[in-house]
């Protein structure tokens, strides 16, 4: 494990746990209030709540990091994609549930169809792209703000370090 990940491991674990629990509570609230939401509001909620967590957690981790390297970024993106895929499977199951469908359709005017996420390739691609873009944007913004608050060192590859020493 590289230094930038090892030095920030406590921050990474604590911040991701906070983000996971916060997003889980937000999704649980959404699920419990399905009787008051429309299909569109519910669909956007199950998309935006995990995206917010995937944006804010890497932002906070990058903000607190004193060194930012490729491995730290990869760890944050992999955790985001894994979390996103789990939420996609769970929320797709919710959208396939006839009870939830009845509650959502009761509040939705007009004829709207509920398509679970795993049955819509376009929605799956949109979600997976967001699961990669959100932590990337969070890392970039966190590193930028962090560099303004405290000095942040970028980690160079060993080839660049050798060239610089010569």
């Amino acid at each position: 494990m590289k230094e930038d990940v090892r030095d920030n491991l406590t921050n990474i674990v604590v911040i991701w746990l906070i983000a996971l629990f916060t997003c889980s509570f937000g999704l649980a609230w959404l699920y419990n209030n399905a009787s008051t939401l429309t299909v569109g509001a519910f669909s956007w909620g199950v998309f935006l709540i995990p995206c917010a967590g995937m944006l804010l957690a890497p932002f906070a981790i990058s903000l607190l990091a004193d060194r930012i390297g490729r491995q730290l970024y990869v760890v944050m993106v992999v955790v985001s994609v894994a979390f996103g895929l789990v939420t996609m499977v769970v929320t797709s199951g919710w959208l396939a549930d006839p009870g939830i469908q009845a509650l959502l359709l009761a509040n939705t005017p007009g004829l709207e169809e509920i398509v679970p996420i795993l049955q819509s390739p376009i929605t799956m691609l949109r979600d997976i792209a967001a699961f990669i873009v959100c932590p990337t944007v969070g890392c970039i913004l966190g590193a930028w703000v962090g560099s303004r608050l405290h000095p942040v060192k970028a980690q160079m590859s060993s080839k660049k370090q050798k060239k610089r020493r010569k």
Side-chain angles (χ1 to χ4, degrees):
M1 186 181 311
K2 293 206 176 185
E3 286 180 44
D4 54 338
V5 177
R6 189 176 51 246
D7 293 345
N8 294 301
L9 195 57
T10 305
N11 291 342
I12 292 170
V13 171
V14 169
I15 290 170
W16 270 114
L17 286 176
I18 291 170
L20 294 175
F21 283 122
T22 304
C23 289
S24 297
F25 285 124
L27 289 171
W29 178 87
L30 200 67
Y31 180 79
N32 291 331
N33 291 308
S35 62
T36 62
L37 299 171
T38 64
V39 172
F42 190 84
S43 297
W44 278 106
V46 298
F47 172 69
L48 291 176
I49 289 173
C51 285
M54 288 182 238
L55 179 76
L56 295 175
F59 174 82
I61 293 167
S62 296
L63 182 70
L64 298 174
D66 58 347
R67 269 179 292 171
I68 298 168
R70 180 178 26 191
Q71 191 174 21
L72 181 62
Y73 165 73
V74 169
V75 166
M76 287 189 275
V77 171
V78 167
V79 171
S80 292
V81 171
F83 172 66
L85 292 176
V86 169
T87 60
M88 189 173 19
V89 170
V90 170
T91 56
S92 184
W94 292 351
L95 290 170
D97 181 22
I100 295 293
Q101 286 182 355
L103 290 172
L104 293 173
L105 289 173
N107 295 325
T108 305
L111 299 172
E112 191 156 345
E113 186 179 339
I114 298 175
V115 179
I117 298 166
L118 296 179
Q119 295 177 2
S120 173
I122 298 296
T123 306
M124 284 177 55
L125 287 174
R126 175 201 69 182
D127 287 1
I128 292 170
F131 300 157
I132 295 169
V133 170
C134 286
T136 301
V137 171
C139 288
I140 292 169
L141 290 175
W144 182 75
V145 171
S147 70
R148 301 300 183 257
L149 299 176
H150 59 84
V152 176
K153 299 174 192 158
Q155 187 177 17
M156 285 191 279
S157 69
S158 59
K159 290 179 184 177
K160 288 183 181 179
Q161 287 176 352
K162 288 178 185 176
K163 286 182 181 177
R164 202 171 246 194
R165 287 182 195 156
K166 291 181 180 181

